[in-house]
């Protein structure tokens, strides 16, 4: 074994891992930036109602699953870093389309297809990154830590992306196109700022991965065009469904009018979750993390519901960090559950399954929030609370026992 190469990979946080982790952050931010901005653009440019906005936001979830059956074939038939960069460049192209006066973007069917394609490009990029590239550049004993750490970068994007988008929407860099009504021009310009920065984020992610030297992998003798490898862990379905109850509830909350400050406080909660994992739950009972996290999210929802009629000045800042803390604890623990559930050579498949459950749940939740509730935030909060409590009950009564019985690591 080459001594120099061994020295490079003796620590997890080497140059290649940092580049991939930051690329994951930028890629995820590019997508989460659309959560507060895309509905504004759809209303201003296409004059769509809440029902269609919800369909457009939820269509992203469908796209996430489409490239999955081909993922294993693509990363073995072609160089895996090239597959990643190509999918991210394609995602950047879809992000850039609203910057141009494309008449077809006034057609509802085209917008739905556009969102499905975005989901497919992002889904493939995430599958290749989490199930292959990150694993390839780490020693075997570091891979669980690498998956755990890299996923945290994507988790921080859930607060950083929307927060940056809301700040960008306060700027005006673009001239209003002729086909946009004057009264909607400000919203149109604001959304274009976000689309432009999403493109920049995608391109930066490609540049970072371009400078990483990935080892060559000999493809398998028999390649199947479609397979579940690196795509979906069938025996992880109970975990995925339990987690999706949580992420759908969080996605529903993200469809509400949330300030940049609130998203910043969610990030504070994520930081607290990192500390809690290290110091509070280090030797705690396995079940305690998920139970505590769900109780924190439920408490945040009750606080939000109790102050629904209060003036903005009287709103407590406590719900946002509570949501970040609870979601951070739950997300990190479910990720480890998926890893421990997987058998030998299924680590990449478990990572893709976790990503699909996480991202699709958020997209479906945002879509439901707009399509089914609109401005009825009190009802939305009640339904979200019921989903979180249902997730807690399901986990305590069934999922945890099922996991302990079926785990392989």
């Amino acid at each position: 074994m080459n001594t120099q190469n061994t020295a490079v990979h003796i620590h997890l946080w080497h140059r290649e891992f940092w580049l991939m982790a930051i690329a994951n952050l930028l890629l995820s931010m590019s997508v989460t930036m659309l959560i507060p901005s895309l509905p504004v653009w759809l209303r201003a440019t296409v004059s769509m109602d809440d029902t269609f906005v919800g369909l457009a936001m939820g269509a992203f979830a469908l796209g996430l699953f489409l490239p999955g059956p081909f993922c294993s074939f693509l990363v073995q038939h072609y160089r895996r870093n090239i597959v990643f960069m190509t999918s991210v460049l394609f995602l950047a192209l879809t992000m850039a389309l609203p910057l141009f006066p494309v008449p077809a973007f006034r057609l509802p069917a085209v917008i739905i297809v556009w969102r499905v394609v975005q989901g497919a490009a992002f889904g493939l990029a995430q599958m290749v990154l989490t199930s292959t590239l990150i694993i390839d550049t780490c020693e075997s004993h570091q891979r669980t830590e690498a998956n755990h750490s890299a996923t945290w970068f994507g988790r921080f994007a859930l607060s950083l992306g929307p927060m940056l988008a809301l700040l960008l929407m306060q700027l005006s860099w673009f001239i209003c196109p002729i086909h946009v009504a004057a009264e909607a021009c400000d919203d149109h310009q604001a959304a274009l700022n976000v689309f432009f920065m999403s493109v920049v984020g995608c391109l930066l992610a490609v540049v970072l991965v371009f400078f990483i030297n990935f080892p060559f992998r000999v493809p398998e003798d028999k390649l199947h065009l479609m397979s579940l490898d690196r795509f979906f862990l069938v025996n992880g379905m109970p975990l995925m469904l339990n987690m999706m109850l949580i992420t759908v509830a969080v996605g529903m909350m993200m469809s509400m009018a949330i300030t940049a400050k609130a998203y910043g406080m969610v990030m504070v909660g994520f930081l607290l979750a990192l500390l809690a994992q290290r110091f509070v739950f280090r030797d705690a009972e396995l079940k305690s993390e998920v139970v505590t996290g769900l109780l924190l999210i439920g408490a945040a929802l009750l606080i939000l519901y109790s102050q629904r009629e209060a003036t903005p000045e009287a709103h407590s800042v406590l719900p946002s960090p509570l949501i970040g803390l609870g979601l951070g604890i739950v997300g990190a623990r479910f990720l480890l559950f998926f890893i421990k559930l997987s058998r030998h050579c299924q680590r990449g498949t478990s990572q893709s399954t976790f990503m699909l459950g996480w991202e699709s749940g958020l997209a479906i939740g945002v879509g439901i929030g707009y399509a089914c509730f609109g401005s009825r935030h009190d009802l939305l909060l009640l339904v979200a609370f019921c989903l979180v409590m249902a997730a807690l009950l399901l986990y305590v009564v069934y999922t945890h026992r099922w996991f302990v019985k079926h785990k392989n690591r």
Side-chain angles (χ1 to χ4, degrees), residues 97-217:
L97 288 178
L99 301 177
F100 305 96
V102 182
F105 267 170
R106 299 182 68 83
L107 301 176
V110 172
I111 293 176
I112 297 297
V113 172
W114 172 63
R115 285 291 289 165
V116 172
V117 171
Q118 277 189 336
F122 178 72
L124 179 59
Q126 278 288 338
M127 287 181 199
V128 176
L129 181 65
T130 59
S131 71
T132 304
L133 297 185
I134 289 175
I135 293 175
D136 282 352
T137 55
C138 297
E139 302 294 338
S140 58
H141 66 278
Q142 297 172 332
R143 288 173 178 172
T144 296
E145 183 184 353
N147 291 137
H148 178 266
S149 301
T151 304
W152 262 110
F153 278 79
R155 197 168 292 130
F156 273 107
L158 194 59
S159 59
L160 286 171
M163 181 174 66
L164 178 59
L166 291 169
L167 295 175
L168 288 172
M169 289 172 69
Q170 299 175 11
L171 304 175
S172 297
W173 296 343
F174 297 93
I175 299 175
C176 191
I178 296 175
H179 70 277
V180 178
E183 60 272 14
C185 187
D186 289 342
D187 288 341
H188 178 87
Q189 291 179 23
L192 290 186
N193 294 338
V194 180
F195 288 126
F196 176 78
M197 195 55 65
S198 293
V199 173
V200 172
C202 290
L203 296 179
L204 288 176
V206 170
V207 171
L208 292 177
V209 174
F210 178 80
F211 286 106
I212 303 175
N213 183 26
F214 292 95
F216 175 74
R217 302 289 184 183

Side-chain angles (χ1 to χ4, degrees), residues 21-132:
I22 297 173
N24 187 26
L25 174 66
L26 293 171
L27 174 63
S28 299
M29 284 182 63
S30 297
V31 170
T32 56
M33 286 169 66
L34 300 186
I35 293 176
S37 59
L38 182 57
V40 172
W41 182 81
L42 289 172
R43 291 179 178 130
T45 308
V46 196
S47 302
M48 294 299 176
D49 57 16
D50 286 338
T51 300
F52 180 81
V53 169
L55 290 174
M57 299 302 290
F60 185 86
L62 173 62
L64 290 169
F65 289 84
L66 294 183
F70 309 98
C71 181
S72 181
F73 172 82
L74 291 173
V75 297
Q76 295 193 68
H77 193 268
Y78 304 98
R79 291 191 66 88
R80 47 202 64 187
N81 56 326
I82 299 299
V83 176
F84 172 81
M85 290 188 288
T86 302
S87 59
V88 178
L89 287 174
F90 190 75
L91 177 63
L93 176 62
T94 66
M95 297 287 191
L97 288 178
L99 301 177
F100 305 96
V102 182
F105 267 170
R106 299 182 68 83
L107 301 176
V110 172
I111 293 176
I112 297 297
V113 172
W114 172 63
R115 285 291 289 165
V116 172
V117 171
Q118 277 189 336
F122 178 72
L124 179 59
Q126 278 288 338
M127 287 181 199
V128 176
L129 181 65
T130 59
S131 71
T132 304

Side-chain angles (χ1 to χ4, degrees), residues 237-259:
M237 183 65 76
L239 279 178
M240 182 175 177
L241 293 177
N242 204 155
M243 185 177 67
M244 285 187 68
L245 286 174
I246 306 165
T247 52
V248 167
V250 173
M252 289 169 60
M253 285 187 282
M254 296 183 74
S255 69
M256 299 168 59
I258 303 175
T259 64

Side-chain angles (χ1 to χ4, degrees), residues 130-131 147 151 335 339 347-356:
T130 59
S131 71
N147 291 137
T151 304
L335 174 69
I339 293 175
R347 175 184 292 272
T349 308
S350 70
Q351 297 305 289
S352 294
T353 309
F354 172 83
M355 182 277 296
L356 289 170

Side-chain angles (χ1 to χ4, degrees), residues 265-281:
M265 295 304 292
V266 170
M267 186 167 57
V268 172
F270 284 153
L271 292 171
L272 292 175
L274 282 171
L275 295 175
Q277 283 186 307
R278 185 174 182 83
F279 299 108
V280 179
F281 296 104

Side-chain angles (χ1 to χ4, degrees), residues 370-384:
Y370 281 107
C372 300
F373 297 98
S375 59
R376 296 174 296 174
H377 293 165
D378 53 345
L379 182 58
L380 182 150
L381 292 171
L382 283 177
V383 173

